[in-house]
Amino acid sequence: MDDDASFLKSIERLLRSTGFVTQCYSSAVDFFAQQAPDRVGCVLADLRMPDMDGIALQAHLARSGNPLPVVFLTGHGDIPTSVAAMRQGAEDFLVKTAPKEAIIAAVERALARGAKECAFRAHRRALHARLDTLTPREEQVLSHVMNGGMNKQIAAALGIDERSVKRHRSNLMRKLEVTSVAELAQLVFEAGAREGDSYRTAK
């Protein structure tokens, strides 16, 4: 996206001639107005744009449910800004006069990264869907299991009998499709922690 219409057309021609499917926007506001939550790809953006600049665009994307990778292509770059953009996760920070090979390479890297991150988010959503099938009691048992509790200790902590703990453990293992504590710990780690979920130990 770029508010320079002539440059926007030029970069679009370059990308399309290389086989990429493109969609152009004159501002970040226009982009977000049409942004689909399941869109795949990457964002090629100028730094200076009306209403929302490139750094603000990058921050907004990072907070969204679909944080597409960003490649900056600008005529107004400086070292502090480029460093800030890269620290916030930009795939690359190029000037508009960069060789077309460098632009294409940056876009290809961003697309590859975007595909990988999209697959990771889909995997995490699938794990969360499994975790969401647990009953409150099964979540309590899971929390204690993740903290290394044995059945007898869990029973005492929850004020239930050991047989009930075994039943809850069996049910949660079946629902989560794991067969060992090691697999259970890996699932919880990959799912990541969510606010209010004490048994999700990964940060």
Side-chain angles (χ1 to χ4, degrees):
M1 69 191 71
D2 198 308
D3 59 337
D4 182 337
S6 62
F7 181 77
L8 196 60
K9 289 181 180 179
S10 175
I11 196 68
E12 181 182 30
R13 283 195 298 269
L14 170 63
L15 293 174
R16 287 189 173 180
S17 69
T18 313
F20 297 114
V21 176
T22 65
Q23 181 66 53
C24 296
Y25 303 91
S26 60
S27 72
V29 173
D30 289 342
F31 168 74
F32 284 117
Q34 301 178 52
Q35 169 73 330
D38 57 348
R39 175 176 287 181
V40 296
C42 69
V43 174
L44 188 62
D46 191 8
L47 188 62
R48 294 184 183 176
M49 295 182 291
D51 301 318
M52 182 185 295
D53 66 20
I55 297 298
L57 157 74
Q58 183 185 20
H60 190 85
L61 264 177
R63 294 191 299 269
S64 74
N66 189 21
L68 299 174
V70 178
V71 174
F72 283 108
L73 188 58
T74 182
H76 308 286
D78 57 62
I79 293 176
T81 303
S82 64
V83 169
M86 298 301 287
R87 283 180 175 173
Q88 292 181 37
E91 182 61 38
D92 212 334
F93 194 100
L94 303 171
V95 294
K96 289 182 175 181
T97 55
K100 65 180 182 180
E101 293 82 6
I103 297 173
I104 296 302
V107 170
E108 289 177 339
R109 289 196 308 272
L111 289 173
R113 171 183 160 190
K116 182 177 180 180
E117 291 176 349
C118 182
F120 173 77
R121 289 192 297 272
H123 176 62
R124 178 170 282 190
R125 285 195 298 271
L127 297 183
H128 286 169
R130 291 190 214 171
L131 288 163
D132 288 341
T133 65
L134 301 183
T135 66
R137 179 63 85 186
E138 288 164 355
E139 290 187 2
Q140 290 178 325
V141 171
L142 175 56
S143 180
H144 284 282
V145 171
M146 290 297 93
N147 287 321
M150 305 299 290
N151 289 344
K152 187 174 183 178
Q153 296 170 319
I154 297 172
L158 297 180
I160 58 178
D161 59 77
E162 193 171 345
R163 181 177 299 176
S164 295
V165 173
K166 291 179 180 180
R167 184 177 70 254
H168 290 310
R169 284 188 71 152
S170 176
N171 287 341
L172 73 87
M173 297 281 277
R174 174 179 52 79
K175 289 180 179 180
L176 298 181
E177 302 175 19
V178 296
T179 58
S180 68
V181 173
E183 289 182 6
L184 182 62
Q186 182 64 26
L187 183 149
V188 171
F189 175 80
E190 291 181 2
R194 295 189 301 182
E195 185 176 354
D197 295 335
S198 61
Y199 58 85
R200 292 176 171 85
T201 57
K203 300 296 182 183

PDB file of all heavy atoms in Angstrom, residues 87-104:
ATOM      1  N   ARG A  87      12.693  -4.619  14.745  1.00  0.00           N
ATOM      2  CA  ARG A  87      12.486  -5.133  16.095  1.00  0.00           C
ATOM      3  C   ARG A  87      11.033  -5.543  16.316  1.00  0.00           C
ATOM      4  O   ARG A  87      10.744  -6.440  17.099  1.00  0.00           O
ATOM      5  CB  ARG A  87      12.897  -4.080  17.127  1.00  0.00           C
ATOM      6  CG  ARG A  87      14.408  -3.961  17.310  1.00  0.00           C
ATOM      7  CD  ARG A  87      14.742  -2.898  18.333  1.00  0.00           C
ATOM      8  NE  ARG A  87      16.181  -2.858  18.604  1.00  0.00           N
ATOM      9  CZ  ARG A  87      16.779  -1.946  19.363  1.00  0.00           C
ATOM     10  NH1 ARG A  87      16.048  -0.963  19.906  1.00  0.00           N
ATOM     11  NH2 ARG A  87      18.082  -1.993  19.563  1.00  0.00           N
ATOM     12  N   GLN A  88      10.123  -4.863  15.633  1.00  0.00           N
ATOM     13  CA  GLN A  88       8.708  -5.193  15.762  1.00  0.00           C
ATOM     14  C   GLN A  88       8.289  -6.316  14.812  1.00  0.00           C
ATOM     15  O   GLN A  88       7.118  -6.661  14.740  1.00  0.00           O
ATOM     16  CB  GLN A  88       7.856  -3.951  15.511  1.00  0.00           C
ATOM     17  CG  GLN A  88       8.001  -2.885  16.598  1.00  0.00           C
ATOM     18  CD  GLN A  88       7.120  -1.667  16.334  1.00  0.00           C
ATOM     19  OE1 GLN A  88       6.000  -1.781  15.848  1.00  0.00           O
ATOM     20  NE2 GLN A  88       7.635  -0.491  16.665  1.00  0.00           N
ATOM     21  N   GLY A  89       9.246  -6.866  14.079  1.00  0.00           N
ATOM     22  CA  GLY A  89       8.962  -8.056  13.289  1.00  0.00           C
ATOM     23  C   GLY A  89       8.842  -7.879  11.796  1.00  0.00           C
ATOM     24  O   GLY A  89       8.416  -8.813  11.102  1.00  0.00           O
ATOM     25  N   ALA A  90       9.211  -6.703  11.254  1.00  0.00           N
ATOM     26  CA  ALA A  90       9.156  -6.532   9.803  1.00  0.00           C
ATOM     27  C   ALA A  90      10.070  -7.538   9.122  1.00  0.00           C
ATOM     28  O   ALA A  90      11.161  -7.830   9.617  1.00  0.00           O
ATOM     29  CB  ALA A  90       9.561  -5.108   9.417  1.00  0.00           C
ATOM     30  N   GLU A  91       9.623  -8.064   8.005  1.00  0.00           N
ATOM     31  CA  GLU A  91      10.444  -9.026   7.268  1.00  0.00           C
ATOM     32  C   GLU A  91      11.642  -8.339   6.623  1.00  0.00           C
ATOM     33  O   GLU A  91      12.735  -8.891   6.578  1.00  0.00           O
ATOM     34  CB  GLU A  91       9.610  -9.720   6.192  1.00  0.00           C
ATOM     35  CG  GLU A  91      10.358 -10.773   5.415  1.00  0.00           C
ATOM     36  CD  GLU A  91      10.864 -11.902   6.294  1.00  0.00           C
ATOM     37  OE1 GLU A  91      10.143 -12.294   7.240  1.00  0.00           O
ATOM     38  OE2 GLU A  91      11.980 -12.392   6.049  1.00  0.00           O
ATOM     39  N   ASP A  92      11.438  -7.107   6.145  1.00  0.00           N
ATOM     40  CA  ASP A  92      12.539  -6.351   5.548  1.00  0.00           C
ATOM     41  C   ASP A  92      12.160  -4.885   5.509  1.00  0.00           C
ATOM     42  O   ASP A  92      10.988  -4.517   5.636  1.00  0.00           O
ATOM     43  CB  ASP A  92      12.854  -6.853   4.135  1.00  0.00           C
ATOM     44  CG  ASP A  92      14.341  -6.712   3.792  1.00  0.00           C
ATOM     45  OD1 ASP A  92      15.003  -5.834   4.382  1.00  0.00           O
ATOM     46  OD2 ASP A  92      14.822  -7.487   2.945  1.00  0.00           O
ATOM     47  N   PHE A  93      13.175  -4.045   5.329  1.00  0.00           N
ATOM     48  CA  PHE A  93      12.986  -2.594   5.256  1.00  0.00           C
ATOM     49  C   PHE A  93      13.833  -2.103   4.090  1.00  0.00           C
ATOM     50  O   PHE A  93      15.050  -1.999   4.203  1.00  0.00           O
ATOM     51  CB  PHE A  93      13.430  -1.945   6.570  1.00  0.00           C
ATOM     52  CG  PHE A  93      12.974  -0.525   6.734  1.00  0.00           C
ATOM     53  CD1 PHE A  93      11.871  -0.220   7.510  1.00  0.00           C
ATOM     54  CD2 PHE A  93      13.661   0.519   6.118  1.00  0.00           C
ATOM     55  CE1 PHE A  93      11.449   1.098   7.676  1.00  0.00           C
ATOM     56  CE2 PHE A  93      13.251   1.824   6.270  1.00  0.00           C
ATOM     57  CZ  PHE A  93      12.136   2.121   7.054  1.00  0.00           C
ATOM     58  N   LEU A  94      13.171  -1.837   2.966  1.00  0.00           N
ATOM     59  CA  LEU A  94      13.866  -1.479   1.737  1.00  0.00           C
ATOM     60  C   LEU A  94      13.495  -0.080   1.271  1.00  0.00           C
ATOM     61  O   LEU A  94      12.401   0.415   1.565  1.00  0.00           O
ATOM     62  CB  LEU A  94      13.512  -2.473   0.622  1.00  0.00           C
ATOM     63  CG  LEU A  94      13.782  -3.964   0.893  1.00  0.00           C
ATOM     64  CD1 LEU A  94      13.165  -4.807  -0.214  1.00  0.00           C
ATOM     65  CD2 LEU A  94      15.269  -4.217   1.027  1.00  0.00           C
ATOM     66  N   VAL A  95      14.380   0.530   0.524  1.00  0.00           N
ATOM     67  CA  VAL A  95      14.058   1.816  -0.098  1.00  0.00           C
ATOM     68  C   VAL A  95      13.404   1.523  -1.446  1.00  0.00           C
ATOM     69  O   VAL A  95      13.580   0.450  -2.027  1.00  0.00           O
ATOM     70  CB  VAL A  95      15.321   2.684  -0.284  1.00  0.00           C
ATOM     71  CG1 VAL A  95      15.896   3.078   1.059  1.00  0.00           C
ATOM     72  CG2 VAL A  95      16.361   1.952  -1.135  1.00  0.00           C
ATOM     73  N   LYS A  96      12.663   2.510  -1.944  1.00  0.00           N
ATOM     74  CA  LYS A  96      11.918   2.300  -3.186  1.00  0.00           C
ATOM     75  C   LYS A  96      12.822   2.088  -4.390  1.00  0.00           C
ATOM     76  O   LYS A  96      12.380   1.554  -5.413  1.00  0.00           O
ATOM     77  CB  LYS A  96      10.976   3.475  -3.433  1.00  0.00           C
ATOM     78  CG  LYS A  96       9.803   3.521  -2.461  1.00  0.00           C
ATOM     79  CD  LYS A  96       8.853   4.672  -2.771  1.00  0.00           C
ATOM     80  CE  LYS A  96       7.636   4.622  -1.871  1.00  0.00           C
ATOM     81  NZ  LYS A  96       6.672   5.722  -2.148  1.00  0.00           N
ATOM     82  N   THR A  97      14.066   2.493  -4.264  1.00  0.00           N
ATOM     83  CA  THR A  97      15.016   2.307  -5.369  1.00  0.00           C
ATOM     84  C   THR A  97      15.751   0.971  -5.290  1.00  0.00           C
ATOM     85  O   THR A  97      16.675   0.717  -6.069  1.00  0.00           O
ATOM     86  CB  THR A  97      16.047   3.448  -5.381  1.00  0.00           C
ATOM     87  OG1 THR A  97      16.683   3.527  -4.091  1.00  0.00           O
ATOM     88  CG2 THR A  97      15.382   4.783  -5.685  1.00  0.00           C
ATOM     89  N   ALA A  98      15.346   0.115  -4.364  1.00  0.00           N
ATOM     90  CA  ALA A  98      15.998  -1.193  -4.219  1.00  0.00           C
ATOM     91  C   ALA A  98      15.840  -1.996  -5.509  1.00  0.00           C
ATOM     92  O   ALA A  98      14.834  -1.860  -6.224  1.00  0.00           O
ATOM     93  CB  ALA A  98      15.386  -1.958  -3.059  1.00  0.00           C
ATOM     94  N   PRO A  99      16.808  -2.836  -5.835  1.00  0.00           N
ATOM     95  CA  PRO A  99      16.685  -3.679  -7.037  1.00  0.00           C
ATOM     96  C   PRO A  99      15.435  -4.550  -6.954  1.00  0.00           C
ATOM     97  O   PRO A  99      15.043  -4.994  -5.871  1.00  0.00           O
ATOM     98  CB  PRO A  99      17.958  -4.536  -6.991  1.00  0.00           C
ATOM     99  CG  PRO A  99      18.911  -3.758  -6.139  1.00  0.00           C
ATOM    100  CD  PRO A  99      18.069  -3.055  -5.119  1.00  0.00           C
ATOM    101  N   LYS A 100      14.847  -4.788  -8.105  1.00  0.00           N
ATOM    102  CA  LYS A 100      13.616  -5.581  -8.106  1.00  0.00           C
ATOM    103  C   LYS A 100      13.848  -6.979  -7.537  1.00  0.00           C
ATOM    104  O   LYS A 100      12.954  -7.572  -6.926  1.00  0.00           O
ATOM    105  CB  LYS A 100      13.027  -5.664  -9.514  1.00  0.00           C
ATOM    106  CG  LYS A 100      13.875  -6.403 -10.531  1.00  0.00           C
ATOM    107  CD  LYS A 100      13.182  -6.427 -11.891  1.00  0.00           C
ATOM    108  CE  LYS A 100      13.991  -7.208 -12.914  1.00  0.00           C
ATOM    109  NZ  LYS A 100      13.305  -7.240 -14.245  1.00  0.00           N
ATOM    110  N   GLU A 101      15.078  -7.506  -7.734  1.00  0.00           N
ATOM    111  CA  GLU A 101      15.386  -8.827  -7.180  1.00  0.00           C
ATOM    112  C   GLU A 101      15.296  -8.826  -5.662  1.00  0.00           C
ATOM    113  O   GLU A 101      14.837  -9.801  -5.054  1.00  0.00           O
ATOM    114  CB  GLU A 101      16.782  -9.270  -7.619  1.00  0.00           C
ATOM    115  CG  GLU A 101      16.935  -9.535  -9.101  1.00  0.00           C
ATOM    116  CD  GLU A 101      17.160  -8.269  -9.914  1.00  0.00           C
ATOM    117  OE1 GLU A 101      17.321  -7.177  -9.299  1.00  0.00           O
ATOM    118  OE2 GLU A 101      17.173  -8.360 -11.147  1.00  0.00           O
ATOM    119  N   ALA A 102      15.728  -7.727  -5.024  1.00  0.00           N
ATOM    120  CA  ALA A 102      15.669  -7.631  -3.564  1.00  0.00           C
ATOM    121  C   ALA A 102      14.230  -7.537  -3.089  1.00  0.00           C
ATOM    122  O   ALA A 102      13.855  -8.117  -2.058  1.00  0.00           O
ATOM    123  CB  ALA A 102      16.454  -6.406  -3.093  1.00  0.00           C
ATOM    124  N   ILE A 103      13.399  -6.818  -3.836  1.00  0.00           N
ATOM    125  CA  ILE A 103      11.979  -6.685  -3.478  1.00  0.00           C
ATOM    126  C   ILE A 103      11.278  -8.031  -3.589  1.00  0.00           C
ATOM    127  O   ILE A 103      10.561  -8.452  -2.675  1.00  0.00           O
ATOM    128  CB  ILE A 103      11.295  -5.640  -4.374  1.00  0.00           C
ATOM    129  CG1 ILE A 103      11.914  -4.264  -4.149  1.00  0.00           C
ATOM    130  CG2 ILE A 103       9.795  -5.606  -4.100  1.00  0.00           C
ATOM    131  CD1 ILE A 103      11.426  -3.195  -5.114  1.00  0.00           C
ATOM    132  N   ILE A 104      11.504  -8.716  -4.692  1.00  0.00           N
ATOM    133  CA  ILE A 104      10.875 -10.027  -4.904  1.00  0.00           C
ATOM    134  C   ILE A 104      11.326 -11.014  -3.830  1.00  0.00           C
ATOM    135  O   ILE A 104      10.524 -11.774  -3.287  1.00  0.00           O
ATOM    136  CB  ILE A 104      11.209 -10.577  -6.302  1.00  0.00           C
ATOM    137  CG1 ILE A 104      10.622  -9.678  -7.388  1.00  0.00           C
ATOM    138  CG2 ILE A 104      10.690 -12.000  -6.452  1.00  0.00           C
ATOM    139  CD1 ILE A 104       9.135  -9.484  -7.308  1.00  0.00           C
TER     140      ILE A 104
END
